[in-house]
Amino acid sequence: MSPKLFPPSLPCLFIHFLACVSASEMPRLSISGRPNWKNLKAKSNSPALNDLKEVYYTQTLDHFNYRPDSYKTFKQRYFINTKYWGGANSSSPIFAYLGAEQPITNDLVVAGFLNDNAPDFKALIVFIEHRYYGESVPFGSLDNAFHSTNTLGYFTSTQALADYAEVLMSLKKNLSAESCPIIVMGGSYGGMLASWFRLKYPHIAMGALASSAPILYFEDIVPQDIYYVIATNDYKEASMNCYKTIRKSWSVINKIASQANGLSLLSKIFKTCKPINDSSELRDYLDGMYTQAAQYDAPPNYPVNRICDGIDKASKATADTLSRIAAGVVAFNGNKKCYDLQAGNIVTYDRLGWFWQTCTDLAISMGRNHENTMFSVAPYSLENYTKACQQTFDATLKARPHWIVNEFGGRNIKRVLKKFGSNIIFSNGLRDPYSGGGVLRNISNTLVAIHAAEGSHCLDILGSSKDDPIWLTKMRASIVKILKDWIAEYYKMLRS
């Protein structure tokens, strides 16, 4: 589905979102935000899309109240693939992919782990879209759904989990598949949802694969700057010269910008499509480029190495810091006539929806408090973030930074989950900056942490490719073995 811009009836959301948020937005939690997304899509097993059937479920608007509005419904989209399923009588498993902060159609091709392994497991595949994204929109349209905080008030992670529970229970009933075990899967925010779903609805999901799920990145469980520390280490590992050049560049940008005609000079150096009006435009663009490259640093292109190769080659030809940085931009994006610093600032409902979520129950505290990264110091301030949220949505809106920890836990996670949790795989790539908020150690024999030192964001849940390195193939094989052990244990219990 092509992105929709805000209608004329919502000018305040449009204006305030760009003015107040773009500079401080946290990096997106998305499985398909990698720089080589188009290549991945082209290489994916696209014939698998022909086996998917689109279905719409009549979903409850509000699962937790009994107000008149609570009984309203909307159409929630999901896709189902029965090609490989062994059938209800065989008790073959159901792989349920939990959609996150984008239309589910974005994940149908990219989350190829399900398609790759369904034949071996004789599994039924289900991809369920998250409410308020894609076509799964309450109140009849995106315009209506995003009209005010009254209509957005049903847009929460707990409501989304209850949606998934309804869809899966209905699906099992309709297919007479009550004995078929469900394994929920997801990547990034979807991985968080998968782990929470297993904890919240263990009678529905027999297990969960939570790929790159930073479930500990709330309150002060992990340092606010852990994302940027890990991203910085990725660049250090690639090239110390590259790291030092990037670290130095921020002060050079500020110095030039403060001079007469400085902004014009910056526009010329970086070949911007439009004149730079404020140095923050360039800083935000570079900040986003560096974090995106680190988060999705994956074979065969390895964007961090690509950026650093460009910077290092230019370093041999010039001592000019910003010319080196500009060479990194060219290396990352390709040689273009000009570079659009606002390309990532297109306002879509997906983007606004994710901002709403981080303004409410997903209040992730991410910032840079010290000069221990290659990025400029920019501490996280709940007060300032709340102001941006209020200016965008409503003056009365307040985040609930303690809610996720209260609802799902997180503190003393090993001690707490060891008592009652089971059958969750937490998989992470340690080059992914979000791995700093992930579970990286085994909690028990069935609460397992799998990680790869060379891995990046959600790489394990993508479809296999001839370019996959051995460590990635082994990582996926480890996940498959654990899933098979769970299912074997389930069958044993079923027979007894």
Side-chain angles (χ1 to χ4, degrees):
M1 186 185 74
S2 59
K4 294 183 179 180
L5 296 181
F6 298 119
S9 59
L10 299 176
C12 61
L13 290 182
F14 176 84
I15 295 170
H16 286 302
F17 182 67
L18 278 182
C20 304
V21 181
S22 57
S24 59
E25 268 188 297
M26 57 175 280
R28 285 287 296 275
L29 275 164
S30 173
I31 183 175
S32 58
R34 56 196 64 248
N36 57 340
W37 153 245
K38 291 183 179 179
N39 293 332
L40 281 170
K41 189 171 183 180
K43 293 179 181 179
S44 297
N45 186 22
S46 55
L49 294 178
N50 298 326
D51 301 320
L52 289 165
K53 178 184 177 182
E54 186 178 42
V55 183
Y56 285 84
Y57 175 77
T58 302
Q59 186 59 265
T60 306
L61 176 64
D62 184 2
H63 299 283
F64 306 111
N65 291 288
Y66 296 89
R67 294 161 49 92
D69 286 352
S70 300
Y71 296 96
K72 290 183 178 180
T73 61
F74 66 96
K75 296 296 183 181
Q76 182 169 19
R77 180 170 60 168
Y78 68 91
F79 288 83
I80 184 170
N81 180 355
T82 59
K83 179 179 180 180
Y84 309 108
W85 191 37
N89 293 332
S90 68
S91 301
S92 296
I94 297 172
F95 288 170
Y97 183 90
L98 306 187
E101 76 283 16
Q102 60 186 2
I104 195 65
T105 47
N106 290 3
D107 294 329
L108 297 179
V109 174
V110 185
F113 180 88
L114 287 78
N115 289 325
D116 289 347
N117 292 285
D120 187 26
F121 283 84
K122 296 182 179 179
L124 181 148
I125 303 173
V126 186
F127 288 85
I128 313 175
E129 193 164 64
H130 194 295
R131 61 166 54 197
Y132 285 81
Y133 292 107
E135 301 293 330
S136 301
V137 184
F139 304 106
S141 70
L142 285 164
D143 295 357
N144 292 336
F146 281 78
H147 182 265
S148 69
T149 51
N150 286 329
T151 53
L152 285 168
Y154 304 99
F155 190 178
T156 69
S157 55
T158 48
Q159 293 278 10
L161 291 174
D163 289 343
Y164 299 141
E166 262 206 40
V167 170
L168 291 172
M169 290 295 282
S170 174
L171 185 65
K172 290 186 75 171
K173 182 178 180 181
N174 292 338
L175 296 173
S176 300
E178 282 82 358
S179 64
C180 295
I182 293 175
I183 296 176
V184 292
M185 304 180 184
S188 204
Y189 168 46
M192 297 161 78
L193 291 170
S195 65
W196 293 337
F197 191 92
R198 168 60 184 164
L199 296 175
K200 199 78 172 175
Y201 299 98
H203 56 292
I204 300 177
M206 181 267 278
L209 169 58
S211 173
S212 298
I215 62 170
L216 303 181
Y217 220 135
F218 295 94
E219 291 192 302
D220 57 352
I221 297 176
V222 298
Q224 290 183 4
D225 59 2
I226 190 66
Y227 180 99
Y228 296 98
V229 169
I230 294 174
T232 297
N233 289 338
D234 290 346
Y235 285 86
K236 282 184 177 179
E237 183 179 320
S239 163
M240 283 300 294
N241 173 68
C242 176
Y243 152 73
K244 291 177 180 178
T245 302
I246 294 172
R247 182 181 172 91
K248 180 181 177 182
S249 67
W250 309 111
S251 60
V252 177
I253 290 172
N254 291 336
K255 182 178 179 180
I256 291 178
S258 66
Q259 299 171 357
N261 298 320
L263 294 177
S264 296
L265 179 58
L266 291 175
S267 298
K268 182 178 180 180
I269 293 173
F270 288 91
K271 294 170 58 178
T272 62
C273 297
K274 296 180 181 179
I276 296 175
N277 295 314
D278 190 282
S279 63
S280 63
E281 296 174 14
L282 177 58
R283 293 197 305 270
D284 293 343
Y285 175 83
L286 294 172
D287 189 295
M289 182 184 76
Y290 298 140
T291 55
Q292 182 189 27
Q295 187 167 318
Y296 300 103
D297 194 39
N301 295 319
Y302 291 106
V304 167
N305 287 346
R306 210 161 69 229
I307 291 172
C308 284
D309 286 346
I311 289 175
D312 288 346
K313 288 178 181 177
S315 297
K316 296 177 182 179
T318 177
D320 180 6
T321 297
L322 294 193
S323 294
R324 300 178 187 179
I325 297 297
V329 172
V330 173
F332 180 79
N333 293 289
N335 195 1
K336 299 181 178 181
K337 183 178 179 180
C338 67
Y339 297 90
D340 184 2
L341 302 189
Q342 304 302 324
N345 287 334
I346 298 174
V347 183
T348 64
Y349 278 114
D350 295 345
R351 190 175 170 199
L352 184 69
W354 180 240
F355 184 49
W356 166 266
Q357 291 194 265
T358 61
C359 282
T360 50
D361 65 341
L362 295 175
I364 297 176
S365 53
M366 180 181 293
R368 286 104 69 171
N369 297 315
H370 309 288
E371 293 185 356
N372 60 341
T373 75
M374 68 180 195
F375 299 90
S376 301
V377 174
Y380 172 81
S381 167
L382 178 60
E383 180 181 358
N384 291 340
Y385 202 81
T386 298
K387 287 180 181 178
C389 295
Q390 291 173 341
Q391 290 173 349
T392 302
F393 297 108
D394 189 288
T396 62
L397 184 67
K398 290 185 179 180
R400 296 178 180 175
H402 310 297
W403 172 247
I404 289 295
V405 175
N406 291 350
E407 178 74 355
F408 304 112
R411 294 193 179 281
N412 303 310
I413 191 169
K414 184 172 184 179
R415 174 169 55 82
V416 173
L417 287 193
K418 197 171 185 178
K419 291 181 179 179
F420 74 93
S422 65
N423 288 13
I424 302 175
I425 300 171
F426 297 100
S427 61
N428 284 278
L430 300 187
R431 291 181 66 82
D432 172 18
Y434 270 122
S435 67
V439 177
L440 302 180
R441 295 183 181 180
N442 290 351
I443 295 174
S444 69
N445 291 335
T446 60
L447 293 168
V448 184
I450 294 178
H451 53 76
E454 304 93 333
S456 59
H457 200 61
C458 296
L459 199 55
D460 57 305
I461 207 169
L462 303 186
S464 60
S465 165
K466 63 180 178 61
D467 297 317
D468 290 341
I470 294 175
W471 58 262
L472 179 55
T473 301
K474 289 182 176 179
M475 184 180 188
R476 292 193 182 117
S478 298
I479 292 171
V480 168
K481 183 181 184 304
I482 293 171
L483 297 181
K484 286 185 174 180
D485 289 345
W486 289 351
I487 293 173
E489 184 66 25
Y490 174 82
Y491 288 156
K492 182 178 178 182
M493 181 190 69
L494 203 64
R495 288 192 296 269
S496 64

